[in-house]
Every structure is written in structure tokens, then in C-alpha cells.
Amino acid sequence: MAAMARVVARQRAEMDRLRDLAATSAVLERAKGAVMALTGCSAEAARELLLQRAKAERRTLLEECWITLGTLMPPLDADDEPELPAVAPGSPGPGTPADALAENGLSSTLGRLAKSLVHVGTPRDLARCLLEHLAPEVGADAIILYARLPAGGLELIGHAGIDDTLASQWQQVPPLSGVAALDALRARQPRWLEEIDRDRERYLLIGDPPERWRSRAWLPVQLGDTAEVCLGVLRGRAEPFAPQAREHLCAVARLCAGRLRAFGARPERAAGGAADAVQAVFDALPVAALLLTPLRAKSGEVQDYRVDAATAQVGDVVGRTGDELVGRRLLDCFPTMAGEPLWQGCRHTLATGEPYEGEPFAHQEVVSGVAELSTYSVRVARLGGGLAVTWIRHDSSDRQEQRLADLQRLGNLGWANWNLVTHEASWSSQVFAILGRDPELGPVRIGDLPDLAAPDDVPALARAVGDLLRAGRPLDLPFRARTPHGVRHLRFVAEAVTDIDDTPVEVHGFVQDLTAQRRAELALVESERAMLTQHDILRTERTLAARLQHALLPLPKRPVQLAGLRVEVAYLPAQSGVHVGGDWFSAIELPNGDALFVVGDVAGHGVDAVATMAQLRFTAKGMVITGSSLTGALARLNTLLLHSRDSHGTATMILARYGPTDHRLVWAQAGHPPPLLLRDGEVRYLDRPSGMLLGATSTPVFEEAECRLEPGDRLIMYTDGLVERSPENIDLGLRRLAEAVAAHHTDATGSLEPLLAAMLEEERQDDVCVLDIRMPDEPG
């Protein structure tokens, strides 16, 4: 048995050798024939010429044959020495030392590739063969072969290393700018894409995502004097192609030219007259159809199908004309079909003989330059040893009926007809659904239609139906109907068809369910009523709060003199909303001649805020007048907020005491923005002493700070409504206030108005309170 196995192995090896030899001889004979046809020399001279060229370029004879078949050089004069074929741009040739390829071992690699090409039968086989050889040599991860179409675009003819879904997406590439493969073909120069971030700005990159391949090469394959095929090499590594790799890829592209030229020949039809007979029948059919012949492996399994006949209309469905499909393999034309239901249906029909009916699908066609959506179904049936695949287009009546059903369902309406002569009636299914009526009971007579209405709507509906039947007067009437699903709000629209005597003989119309719309309208009305009620309540509260605020916080109409200082006051309530805030101020002269200045802001709005404001304002004045220090007053006010049931929460405040004798201003703050000082044309904010907002903690720490005022000084105290704008940071508002004070400074009275105009937006979200304190240039 072992001896027999060795014999079988030797025989198999010999058969493989003979098969390779036969294939190689076929390539050699084709190359010799090309040289003989173009040069007019003998067969022996053609062989000798091929050997000389191979030796000159240090290539194998098989490599030279492939290159010759791809180059197909022009005829030579009989007296001239045969010249070497022209070299494609970027390819190794006379300008590239052959020793470089030999030293790097690339010559032997190209020789192995040349041997492999003799077994390549399709462009997809060629892509797989190239990936197998280029993966270890240049790190190729995918190979793509594009052929230029007559219209200028590209068609994917072979690929390896990418899935069929991506191949289907890039099957056809229109003649656009920014396509690297087209650019390489037009320029007949390789394109090396080695920096993906820069390349994506110039080219449309293949891949999902494109970052899957971070370096690419697109090489035109010279077929004689033209370049109609482009070889794409995609790599996952992000690095440039080395000079050795570039030379090798150019040589590979040149080597593949002969193999690709053979693919350019028109595929042959199946032998025998059966396909011709079927094609003759197909030529007379106004349908889209294909005749497929299964191509089986040695195991008997169907691997692919050959298109042996096709109708002209098939191009409307699959995008290729019958002439383009006949003689080609199905998967070469449609790589993704192997995963579709149609493929499984073909296998089932071929195995069982049972016809396959596919689900209807939508397909967009362009008719007279206008895109039109059509519906098709595909059917597969056995025809001898092959399959007949037919695409059936649904006629317009089927589409119109489906559209009418969709319209009724989406609009929640249905049509109804009544024949007044034969007393026959017909309703669409949607009318039965709207009225909740069993279709087996049939339609209701139009005269009995008011019986379905709610009691309050019966008289109006009966009167409208009577006018329609007697005088043919159209009606459009809403009414409520009692259904098993409850009361529904309906709309009934109908018109009559009359005879020559103007007597109504037929009524047609529709019933529409408006329940959802009516409920939304009622909900909207209720919401509007609630909003109006709430608005009245808020307006009353605002009026009350405004009156209370004006009573507790009277504004002086002109500047006041306190302890030798001139003081102007501004208070502006918020313009948005219906609430009054809790901002306040105090500017009074104490019994000992000092001046007390207070600016505060209670959190919140409304009557509660105004009440808390009044409590803090009068308590603060009372404590300072009775001798409390500024920090002591703040500490007691904090306790008041924490333990008062009527307290509104938290508040900020500044307390400042000015002595006219030494011009010293002592101040303390509780979470409030610092005062702004203008002196000699320069503005700055006073450094804030420690102090937390009132009502935040039971153990606050308050400190005092002092500032001596000089003649001409201007001090501004304010609440945060002057500097805050949502959503910006308050620091921007403080900077804006400092710039506005410096730009709008004047000694005249009423100087607050231009300052406020520059600072405030048209729509204020918060109250604004400002104290403008000035020391005269010559204090009295």
C-alpha cells in the first residue's frame, strides 16, 4: 500500500508538472504569436527575441511572455534590431538596474508570480493571487482591480482582502475628481497615498472606516499604449512604501498586463443551440429575465452561475444590460448576491424543481429623466438544466390600491358609497374600523346614519343628510358617534350624483376620525384657561409686591447730601417675568453725623422676598443706629434669617459707615460684589474683607475693611443685577462695569443714566440697585 501511495503521489506530481507545462506553453505560444504578428518574424525568431529580452532584463521567460502580452509593441522595420518594449512609467526597465531587483530577491518573487498567473482564470482569481504574493513582500492587506468604463468611471472587476459588502458599495465609481484610481489612470503614473490625514483632504478613500488602511498605492496597468486597469494595494500599516517596494509593485503591475488583456476579451456564449434559442425568445419578451447555467465544483456543489441569455429589460432592474451580462459569471457581476435570499432560492429551485417566489421590493427607475419608484417581485423556475430568473413588475392598479389603503390608514379616514336607486352601499374597511362596526353586518343605509350619532348631534346630522338626499346639497359636518370603543369625534363629507332631472341617484363621501385632534384641542383650551388664571394670580401678586416695595423703599427724586457726600440712587425692577425682587438700599445720616450706606439683595422674588427685604433693611438700620458694629450687625442679621419662620432664605449685603472728620469709610460685606472706586480717572474694586452670605451657616465670619476717600473720589455700590448676564461669568460683568464707569464719568447730576444705559440689556432678568457716592473736589 505504501508503494502504491508513492506511485500515486509521483503520478499526481507529474500530472501537476505537465499541467503547469501545458499552461506555460500556452502563454509562450500566445506571446510568440503576438511578436510574429507585430514584427513579421518566424516562430523561432520570436522565441529568440523573447529570450533576449528576458536575459537583458534578468527576467524569466514566462515573465517576459506576460509582459509582452500586456505591452503588444508596435511593428518593427525588418532591417532594425528588435527593440525592447516600452516601459510603463514608474516600472523597472532599462532605466532601473536589474541587479537591484536580483540582489533584493525580487526577481525570483516575480518569477513565482509569473508561474501563478498561468492558473488565474478571472480578475477575482488574479486579485487573490496578487494578495498571496504581495502580502509577505510589501505588507499588502487588500488588493483591488478597477477597470475604466467607456463613460469615464470605474468598475470593480476583482478584489481580495475586502468583504463583499464593501465591494458592492464601491462596485461602480462615477467619473469624479478626487478618486485616486482615476487620477492614476489619467496621469498614467502611480499614486502613493502614505499619510491618511493629508490624503483624505485630496482623495475619496475606500474603507469603512477609511482608517482601516493607512497607506495605499494605485498603479496603472499599461495595456499597450493605454492604461485602462488600475491596481490598488491597501495596507494597514502607516508608513511610506520603501523604494524597493515601489519598484516591485511597478514590476508586478507590468507583469499583470498580459493576464488582464485576456480578461478584456468578450466572454463566449455557452456551446450548443439551447442558449441561442432561449435568447431568441428572450429578445421578444417585454420582461426582465436571465437564463442561468449552474457551474459546479468537483464535489457537485454549485459555486456560481453563468449567464447564457438575458433580455434587454434586465438592465432596468440590475443596472447592467443583457449584452454586458451574457457569458459572465453571476458573482463576478454581483459579488454580494451569494448572501441574498435570491441565491438560496436558486439553489432550492435547482435542487427540488419547485419555483421560488421572492418578496416584493421597491426599485427606483429613471423614466424620461424623472426618478420613479416601482415595485418588483422575482421568480425562479427550472428550465432544462438551468434556471430562468424573471423580475415581475407590479402594474399601476396594484400600486394605486396600495397607496389608497395607506392614505386611508395614515389619515384615519375611509370612503363610502350609496346607490340610491338599487339601495346598495359599499364601505372601505377603514370606515368599519372607525365606527367599530362588524364588516359582516354590512354598511348602514345613509338614511340610518344619524342613528349612529350621539343624541345631541342627531338633529343636525339628520337635517344635513335630508338636504343631501332631497336637494343634492353637499355636506361637511362634524358629529359624535357612539362606538364600542367609546364616543368618537367624526367628520362626514359627502356629495350627491344626480341624473338629468337633478334627482340624486348616488352619494359618495368619506368619514374621518378626528378624536385625537379634538382631544388635543380640548386639552389646549384647558391649558390656556389654566395659563390665564395663573397669569392673573401672578399679575395681582406683582401689583401687591410693587406697592409694598414702593411703600417700604421710597426713592429720592434728586441727589441727597450726607456727611459732606453727594449721593444718587437708582432702582430698576426686572423687566422679565411677573415677580418683584428683594433688592434694596439705605443711605441715611446717623445721630453722630456719620453716614450709613447699605446695599442688599434677597434671594428670590415676590411678596416673600419683599417682606424679607423690609425686615433686613429696618433691622440693619436700627442696629447700627443703636451702636452695633458693622460685623456685629451682620452676625445678628444672619441669626435672624436662620431662625425666622418668615425668612425667605439667604441674602447678600454691604454695610458701610463714613466719617466726615477723617474721611474714613469702614465697610463689611456678606457675599456681596465689592464697591468700585474711581480716583483720578482710574478705576479699581476695593479688596473684599471676609464675609459669607446671610442665612448660609450658623457660624459665619465677618471682617471689616476701610478706605479713606479723597476729594473727587467716586464710589459705586450695586447689586449683582448690574453685572450679571446669563450664561457668562460674573468677572466679565465686573470688567464691563469698570470700563463703563471710566468711559461715562461726569461730575454733573444724573450721571447714572448713561452708565445704566451702557451696562443693561433691553430685557433685564433681575432687579438693579445702585448707590453713586461722590466726594466733592473741595470737601466742606
Side-chain angles (χ1 to χ4, degrees), residues 605-663:
H605 296 81
V607 176
D608 291 339
V610 173
T612 303
M613 174 270 289
Q615 187 180 37
L616 293 177
R617 180 172 185 264
F618 290 114
T619 304
K621 290 198 302 184
M623 285 190 293
V624 175
I625 289 175
T626 56
S628 293
S629 65
L630 302 182
T631 56
L634 290 176
R636 292 184 179 88
L637 292 174
N638 181 74
T639 303
L640 177 66
L641 279 181
L642 288 175
H643 298 284
S644 175
R645 291 184 178 180
D646 299 331
S647 169
H648 196 66
T650 60
T652 65
M653 182 185 301
I654 284 184
L655 289 175
R657 185 167 185 163
Y658 172 75
T661 303
D662 53 5
H663 308 299

Side-chain angles (χ1 to χ4, degrees), residues 60-61 93 101 129 173 216 236 256 341 363 371 412 538 552 592 707 726 740 743 777:
T60 66
L61 179 59
L101 295 179
C129 178
V173 178
R216 307 150 189 257
C256 293
H363 176 72
N412 206 3
L538 295 177
L552 298 174
N592 64 352
C707 173
S726 178
D777 292 333

Side-chain angles (χ1 to χ4, degrees), residues 23-321:
T24 303
S25 299
V27 176
L28 175 59
E29 293 303 319
R30 288 169 55 199
K32 287 167 54 180
V35 173
M36 293 170 60
L38 292 174
T39 64
C41 64
S42 64
E44 187 62 30
R47 178 183 175 86
E48 185 63 23
L49 180 59
L50 291 173
L51 286 172
Q52 292 177 6
R53 291 174 180 160
K55 183 178 179 180
E57 292 297 328
R58 297 195 179 184
R59 289 193 284 253
T60 66
L61 179 59
L62 189 57
E63 288 179 66
E64 188 61 39
C65 291
W66 282 125
I67 293 174
T68 299
L69 290 173
T71 305
L72 288 182
M73 56 191 178
L76 300 175
D77 294 335
D79 297 333
D80 293 340
E81 180 69 16
E83 299 177 356
L84 295 175
V87 179
S91 301
T96 302
D99 291 338
L101 295 179
E103 291 175 0
N104 293 326
L106 299 184
S107 179
S108 60
T109 302
L110 292 173
R112 290 193 299 272
L113 176 58
K115 290 182 179 180
S116 300
L117 291 180
V118 300
H119 301 294
V120 170
T122 65
R124 293 194 70 177
D125 295 340
L126 176 59
R128 298 188 190 102
C129 178
L130 291 176
L131 181 60
E132 180 181 349
H133 283 75
L134 294 179
E137 299 299 330
V138 298
D141 295 309
I143 297 294
I144 292 178
L145 291 172
Y146 270 119
R148 179 150 45 183
L149 295 172
L154 295 177
E155 180 183 32
L156 184 65
I157 60 174
H159 63 86
I162 65 174
D163 55 69
D164 288 338
T165 300
L166 183 61
S168 177
Q169 294 172 352
W170 291 86
Q171 182 70 28
Q172 301 281 342
V173 178
L176 303 174
S177 59
V179 178
L182 274 174
D183 191 14
L185 289 176
R186 291 167 181 153
R188 298 175 67 180
Q189 292 284 348
R191 290 294 179 258
W192 310 100
L193 281 62
E194 299 162 322
E195 294 183 16
I196 190 168
D197 293 334
R198 184 186 65 184
D199 296 332
R200 73 168 71 244
E201 298 177 358
R202 182 179 179 186
Y203 294 115
L204 182 64
L205 300 183
I206 294 175
D208 187 15
E211 291 80 7
R212 177 180 174 185
W213 297 295
R214 304 191 67 83
S215 59
R216 307 150 189 257
W218 292 98
L219 302 102
V221 179
Q222 293 282 123
L223 300 179
D225 295 332
T226 62
E228 300 298 328
V229 177
C230 193
L231 166 63
V233 180
L234 283 60
R235 305 191 307 177
R237 63 178 70 173
E239 63 183 35
F241 289 85
Q244 173 186 344
R246 292 193 178 193
E247 293 175 358
H248 185 53
L249 289 175
C250 291
V252 168
R254 190 167 179 229
L255 189 63
C256 293
R259 181 71 271 180
L260 284 168
R261 180 179 290 277
F263 298 148
R266 183 65 182 164
E268 297 181 358
R269 292 176 177 264
D276 293 336
V278 173
Q279 184 62 60
V281 175
F282 275 14
D283 291 339
L285 294 178
V287 296
L290 293 176
L291 174 63
L292 304 180
T293 298
L295 303 178
R296 301 179 183 272
K298 294 180 180 180
S299 61
E301 182 181 0
V302 176
Q303 292 183 323
D304 205 343
Y305 297 89
R306 185 181 65 242
V307 180
D308 284 339
T311 63
Q313 291 79 8
V314 75
D316 297 335
V317 182
V318 300
R320 296 193 182 194
T321 64

Side-chain angles (χ1 to χ4, degrees), residues 581-584 599-604 650-653 672 719-721 766-767:
D583 291 19
W584 88 92
V599 173
D601 184 2
V602 174
T650 60
T652 65
M653 182 185 301
H672 204 84
T719 57
D720 57 5
D766 198 3
D767 296 349

